[in-house]
């Protein structure tokens, strides 16, 4: 069935979003999330195959996250400029190509390059999907739809490591990339048939602001990642980190001065956006670190990659199951109490991970319980944080949604990079103590500003800005 196509420039009504259209959009979310985590469990096999140390091999994980996170604000602008559906479809096709390239990579360097390119394509998914969801589904369905989006995130995070471990054991690590290509192409076909054309509009690009923010974020993630690489000079790392700070500070200063900034920095200081972004960053930092560290810990304790994948399944599976009811509960009780409860749960879970790994209790039922607890915390943060961002002034713009997702997935990238640093210099307990502190900062940020229900931006105001 062909979707109803609205007149150019006119947003669809509240009832224009169909289940098939939602399925098409969630396919990209699923592919991007699976791509992110599919190499976490077989990373040890990849390192062994290419005879590479952890400090270099972790770029297979972080290389994807680096380009994925850093390019999101620019991807949001491109979607607004040329049409979100068009850019989303292009990203699905590129993802399929990169999956085949990664599966056939002859060297570690080529594999990292394909992963980084796949990250650029996947950068389109989050701002485009969140923007199209807000465009197609009105306020009375928004929380439920965002809950479905969060659930698919959890499913992707569950399937990625688990399928990665199973396929790596059964057929070799190269096969972990193969299923992504047909799924991406199915999503492309569904989108063409069921999602209305999103009208692009002529927009000036603040090239200076865009470049400073994108390269500043990329250098920050890269610099933190290389801290764990023995072959990289400390001066090079300090240079990268210093350059990132200068670029990011300049991006903020520049965007505050120009009449048409790449990102409206005043809009992103709205308390709802700040709370959502800080909570999402903290939650994803802990999640990114846990998803990478636990498989490495399990394999070091003598588990197979398949066993490590099954163990890790407990956490994202919990996230997927809880995401829809969390959306409904947020509508009933308010987003901020649910978000705070989730952050507190996540703090407890990270403390328990520090204890369990510190006293070497192995990978039995207690580890599984702690991972379930982590999944509960993430599920209770993810949905209210994402819904809050779409209802803010900054979230009405593609670049604003891109910035939210840059902070969100930048947290995941920095969390994964922190694993390399912590395991190179310290141990697992130190690793999880730091993730606990990061989540505690996110919890403190949830007290910024007034109650969101009393300062909410109205839907008509958001629609006028779109």
């Amino acid at each position: 069935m062909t979707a109803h196509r609205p007149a150019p420039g006119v947003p669809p009504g509240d009832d224009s979003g169909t289940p098939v259209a939602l399925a098409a959009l969630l396919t990209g979310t699923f592919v991007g999330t699976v791509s992110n985590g599919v190499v976490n469990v077989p990373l040890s096999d990849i390192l062994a195959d290419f005879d590479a140390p952890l400090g270099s091999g972790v770029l297979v994980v972080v290389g994807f996250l680096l380009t994925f996170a850093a390019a999101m604000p620019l991807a949001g602008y491109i979607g607004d400029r040329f049409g979100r559906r068009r850019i989303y479809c292009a990203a699905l096709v590129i993802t399929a190509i990169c999956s085949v390239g990664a599966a056939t990579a002859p060297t570690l360097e080529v594999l990292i390059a394909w992963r980084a390119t796949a990250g650029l394509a996947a950068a389109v998914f989050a701002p485009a999907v969140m923007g199209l969801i807000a465009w197609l589904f009105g306020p009375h369905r928004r929380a439920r739809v965002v809950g479905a989006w969060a659930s698919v995130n959890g499913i992707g995070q569950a399937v990625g490591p688990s399928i990665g471990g199973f396929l790596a054991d059964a057929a070799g690590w190269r096969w972990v990339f193969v299923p992504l290509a047909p799924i991406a192409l199915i999503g492309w076909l569904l989108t063409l048939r069921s999602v209305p054309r999103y009208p692009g509009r002529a927009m000036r690009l603040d090239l200076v602001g865009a470049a400073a923010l994108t390269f500043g974020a990329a250098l920050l993630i890269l610099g933190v990642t290389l801290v764990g690489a023995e072959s990289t000079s400390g001066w090079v790392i300090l240079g990268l980190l210093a350059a990132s700070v200068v670029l990011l500070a300049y991006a903020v200063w520049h965007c505050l001065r120009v009449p048409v900034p790449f990102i409206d920095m005043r809009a992103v200081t709205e308390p709802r956006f700040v709370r959502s972004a800080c909570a999402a960053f903290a939650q994803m930092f802990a999640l990114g670190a846990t998803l990478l560290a636990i498989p490495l810990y399990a394999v070091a304790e003598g588990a197979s990659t398949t066993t490590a994948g099954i163990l890790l399944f407990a956490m994202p599976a919990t996230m997927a199951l809880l995401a829809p009811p969390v959306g409904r509960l947020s509508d009933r009780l308010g987003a901020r109490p649910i978000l705070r409860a989730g952050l507190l749960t996540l703090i407890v879970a990270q403390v328990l991970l520090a204890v369990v790994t510190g006293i070497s209790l192995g990978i039995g039922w207690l580890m599984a319980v702690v991972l379930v607890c982590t999944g509960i915390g993430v599920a209770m943060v993810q949905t209210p944080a994402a819904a809050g961002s779409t209802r803010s002034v900054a979230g009405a713009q593609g670049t604003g949604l891109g910035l939210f997702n840059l902070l969100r997935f930048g947290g995941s990238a920095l969390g994964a990079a922190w694993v390399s640093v912590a395991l190179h210099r310290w141990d697992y307990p130190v690793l999880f103590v730091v993730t606990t502190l990061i989540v505690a900062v996110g919890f403190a940020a949830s007290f910024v500003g007034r109650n969101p229900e009393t300062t909410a931006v109205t839907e008509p105001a958001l629609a006028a800005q779109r």
Side-chain angles (χ1 to χ4, degrees):
M1 183 176 70
T2 303
H4 169 67
R5 301 187 184 281
V10 179
D14 288 350
D15 296 324
S16 63
T18 66
V20 178
L22 179 60
L25 296 176
L26 296 184
T27 300
T29 299
F30 178 79
V31 168
T33 307
V34 171
S35 297
N36 182 10
V38 76
V39 298
N40 286 27
V41 173
L43 181 59
S44 298
D45 293 346
I46 295 172
L47 297 180
D49 194 14
F50 290 118
D51 192 24
L54 176 62
S56 300
V58 77
L59 288 173
V60 176
V61 176
V62 180
F64 178 94
L65 284 169
L66 189 153
T67 55
F68 180 43
M72 277 187 177
L74 187 58
Y77 164 83
I78 293 172
D80 284 351
R81 174 62 181 85
F82 297 102
R84 290 173 183 169
R85 191 191 77 157
R86 178 181 300 159
I87 299 304
Y88 174 67
C89 286
L92 286 167
V93 173
I94 294 172
T95 296
I97 295 171
C98 289
S99 300
V100 175
T104 56
T107 65
L108 180 64
E109 291 75 18
V110 173
L111 175 60
I112 292 171
W114 278 117
R115 289 282 292 164
T117 306
L120 284 174
V124 171
F125 294 145
V129 169
M130 291 178 69
L132 288 169
I133 282 175
W135 187 60
L136 288 169
F137 299 92
H140 67 288
R141 291 199 285 170
R142 182 79 52 79
R144 281 178 290 170
V145 172
V146 171
W149 170 85
S151 182
V152 169
N153 265 305
I155 292 170
Q157 286 159 343
V159 169
S162 303
I163 292 297
F166 174 77
L167 289 177
D169 270 354
W173 64 263
R174 295 181 182 277
W175 282 89
V176 305
F177 301 105
V178 174
L180 298 174
I183 295 173
L185 293 177
I186 290 170
W188 173 65
L189 291 172
L190 283 176
T191 303
L192 291 177
R193 291 183 58 84
S194 63
V195 177
R197 294 181 184 275
Y198 183 93
R201 62 181 188 271
M203 300 169 59
R204 287 182 56 190
L205 173 62
D206 174 18
L207 186 59
V208 173
L213 180 64
T214 302
F215 286 107
L219 290 178
L220 175 62
I221 297 170
L222 179 61
V224 174
T225 302
L226 292 177
V227 172
E230 298 181 8
S231 59
T232 305
S233 166
W235 290 108
V236 172
I237 295 170
L238 287 175
L240 290 172
L241 294 176
S244 72
V245 171
V246 170
L247 285 171
L248 291 173
Y250 177 77
V252 173
W253 178 80
H254 172 81
C255 289
L256 287 170
R257 293 181 66 252
V258 298
V260 185
F262 178 58
I263 290 180
D264 185 350
M265 291 297 173
R266 292 178 178 84
V268 302
T269 60
E270 178 196 355
R272 183 189 292 270
F273 187 88
V274 171
R275 285 191 296 268
S276 297
C278 289
F281 175 89
Q283 164 239 308
M284 290 296 283
F285 185 96
L287 181 62
T290 304
L291 285 172
L292 181 58
I294 293 304
L296 292 173
Y297 174 79
V299 171
E301 290 290 313
S304 68
T305 51
T306 298
T307 302
I310 293 172
L311 173 69
L312 202 63
F313 183 86
M315 178 172 58
T318 303
M319 293 159 48
L321 290 173
L322 288 184
V326 165
R328 293 191 293 270
L329 199 60
S330 296
D331 280 344
R332 183 176 304 172
L333 302 179
R336 190 147 59 159
I338 303 301
L339 183 141
R340 284 178 180 167
L343 289 168
L344 286 174
T345 304
L346 196 52
I347 287 171
V348 172
Q350 295 298 297
V351 170
L352 290 175
L353 282 174
V355 173
V356 171
T357 57
I359 58 181
S360 298
L361 291 180
I363 56 168
W365 64 268
L366 182 57
M367 176 66 79
V369 169
V370 175
L371 291 177
V372 168
C373 183
T374 302
I376 292 171
V378 171
M380 295 177 70
V381 174
Q382 187 168 240
T383 298
S389 73
T390 64
R391 290 168 177 159
S392 66
V393 172
Q397 305 163 4
T399 52
L401 288 176
L403 178 62
F404 171 79
N405 283 288
L406 164 59
L407 294 170
R408 181 167 161 257
F409 286 103
S412 181
L414 292 176
W418 166 240
V419 172
S420 176
V421 174
L423 297 186
H424 175 63
R425 299 180 181 274
W426 296 289
D427 52 15
Y428 287 96
V430 172
L431 189 161
F432 289 114
V433 166
V434 171
T435 61
T436 302
L437 294 175
I438 296 294
V439 178
V441 172
F443 177 75
S446 71
F447 292 88
V448 171
R450 294 158 57 193
N451 191 299
E453 281 71 29
T454 64
T455 59
V457 179
T458 63
E459 291 292 330
L462 294 180
Q465 293 186 52
R466 294 188 189 107

